[in-house]
Amino acid sequence: MTIHTIHTKPIDGQKPGTSGLRKKTHVFMEPHYLENFVQSIFDGIGGVNGKIFVLGGDGRYFNDRAVQVILRMAAANGAKRMIVGRDGLLSTPAASNLIRKRKTDGGIVLSASHNPGGPEEDFGIKFNVPNGGPAPEAITSAIYEASGSISEYRIAITGDVDISCLGKSKLLDMEIEVIDPVEDYVALMEELYDFDALRALFANGFTMRFDALHAITGPYAKAIFEDALGAPDGTVLNAVPLPDFGGGHPDPNPIWAKSLVDEMMSGDAPEFGAASDGDGDRNMILGRGVYVTPSDSVAVIAANTDLVKSYKGRVKGFARSMPTSAALDRVAEAQNFDCYETPTGWKFFGNLLDSDRAQICGEESAGTGSDHVREKDGLWAVLFWLSILAAKRQSVSDVMQEHWRKYGRNYYSRHDYEGIDSEAANGLMGALTDKLAELPGTEYSGRKITAADEFAYDDPVDGSRAESQGIRVFFDGGGRVVFRLSGTGTSGATLRVYIEDFESDPSKHDREPQEALAGLIEAADSIAEISKRIGRNEPDIRT
Ligand code: G16
């Protein structure tokens, strides 16, 4: 076996976005593309000589090939050990857990999350740091810089490594340890939650559906809900991970998990429904006849931490991304806790969790999590909800009504305009930025604007500043509209418009969100000239 040093040239566009580098799969499969980026990760973190890493992905098309390349490159670059999920599989939260538990120097996670998979669809790769979380901006910038000056990469010339069986083997001097991708994660969940109480819930006939959308959480969900907690076979749907996720988008929202939503809205719906995404870090929560927005979900979790043994009495702070609704802030205020507002991207929670300033975090983009790992965690959120339902002995709908009665309701919706022309999208954001100063005091759809700004974040722990993180427009009465461009798409641009309004009167808590928000939706269109600038009258997705 020999080490080859391959001469290469920088490839444009290897700039990590909101969560790692995401491109069309065929782009990753072009000569040197993956290799250049992997070597840039290695160089950007100061080399891998003598270091230990976790490696795995969500099983999407090209996962198997990429794992082999990364193993051969890690060995050629002098890594000491790679801890790999069997068959190259690991959910994102499971990888985060392993990085922390095994005290490694970080990990490489292969996923494009909720984006579809397949030769014509998306692939992605991200580096997680030793705390288990996504690399912060300073590191992603160093990786990007390395990609801009790369002239060679090192790779071992050898056949494929067998990673289909548990155990240890060697590649050059590097040890490869193949582990069960599910085991450590299930053990962590058992530490956090009262599995006896959850078993009793199912033993009493509680009904649930979990849709794994043919993505990575299938085996994890089977092991937890059906094997460990005794839920009947068939509780977990679409449990077999497929390289193309069965042709769908592994995105747990009312569009891509429509059949689950339809079942939950039907007459004989189970009591609880949930879904997760491609790599297992996102979640969707449903009850019989009710969809819980991610912003409400994290608020309900935050309000009920004392119902879960591992959180009782030790939670003192929350964090949410800026576009997430202020429902979480209301819980924090009532409990006299801190609530941090960060830019979009789980990486911004890392310092807050590490410094124990926040213990529960959430994002409107279906991400909820805590300090148990440093990624958002879909199944963790589902188990938290199950624990709430088991303790309160209430339906999801009753939990929500009670929560809104106590804290008020933040009506919320996100409108996505996908695949739009990048120039038009940048033009829209630029024009909005230019008119920020003149917005306060003006009225749109009968609502007065009280403030408008471009969001920037100063990290209270390391003092770093993140600028240009989206435009916020505030209205009287607690209304808000936020505009930003997605950092996870792979074709054109995606404009996200986040609309929120506060209602304290319980007699008005039963409205349909699109209807409750109609005035602000109209205002958002006028302020940003959406239809005029991008030529669309309707968003592609409303969550
Ligand atoms: C990633 C990040 C999240 C972020 C989401 C949406 O999620 O980890 O923190 O909220 O993207 O980002 P954007 O609005 O820029 O598309 P995931 O699940 O895709 O890794």
Side-chain angles (χ1 to χ4, degrees), residues 18 22 113-114 282 346 363 365 376 484 486-488 496:
T18 309
R22 289 188 192 164
S113 187
H114 54 292
R282 296 184 173 208
W346 204 263
E363 292 190 284
S365 57
K376 53 192 185 281
R484 64 177 279 279
S486 158
T488 57
R496 301 204 195 284

Side-chain angles (χ1 to χ4, degrees), residues 295-363:
S295 292
D296 275 343
S297 175
V298 65
V300 168
I301 285 175
N304 290 292
T305 50
D306 277 356
L307 297 182
V308 176
K309 60 175 184 178
S310 52
Y311 295 90
K312 192 173 164 56
R314 71 171 190 86
V315 173
K316 46 185 188 279
F318 310 133
R320 64 164 171 86
S321 66
M322 179 274 280
T324 304
S325 93
L328 185 62
D329 306 41
R330 297 187 190 285
V331 177
E333 204 184 325
Q335 301 186 350
N336 215 7
F337 288 175
D338 289 326
C339 188
Y340 296 86
E341 184 176 30
T342 60
T344 295
W346 204 263
K347 59 192 171 200
F348 292 102
F349 294 137
N351 281 342
L352 299 173
L353 295 166
D354 282 351
S355 61
D356 211 23
R357 282 172 161 81
Q359 293 76 31
I360 301 286
C361 308
E363 292 190 284

Side-chain angles (χ1 to χ4, degrees), residues 54 123 180 184 232 244 259 298 323 329 352 410 435 453 470 505:
V54 167
F123 191 77
D180 181 327
D184 295 85
D244 68 347
S259 57
V298 65
D329 306 41
L352 299 173
N410 283 71
K435 73 191 223 195
D453 66 6
D505 180 354

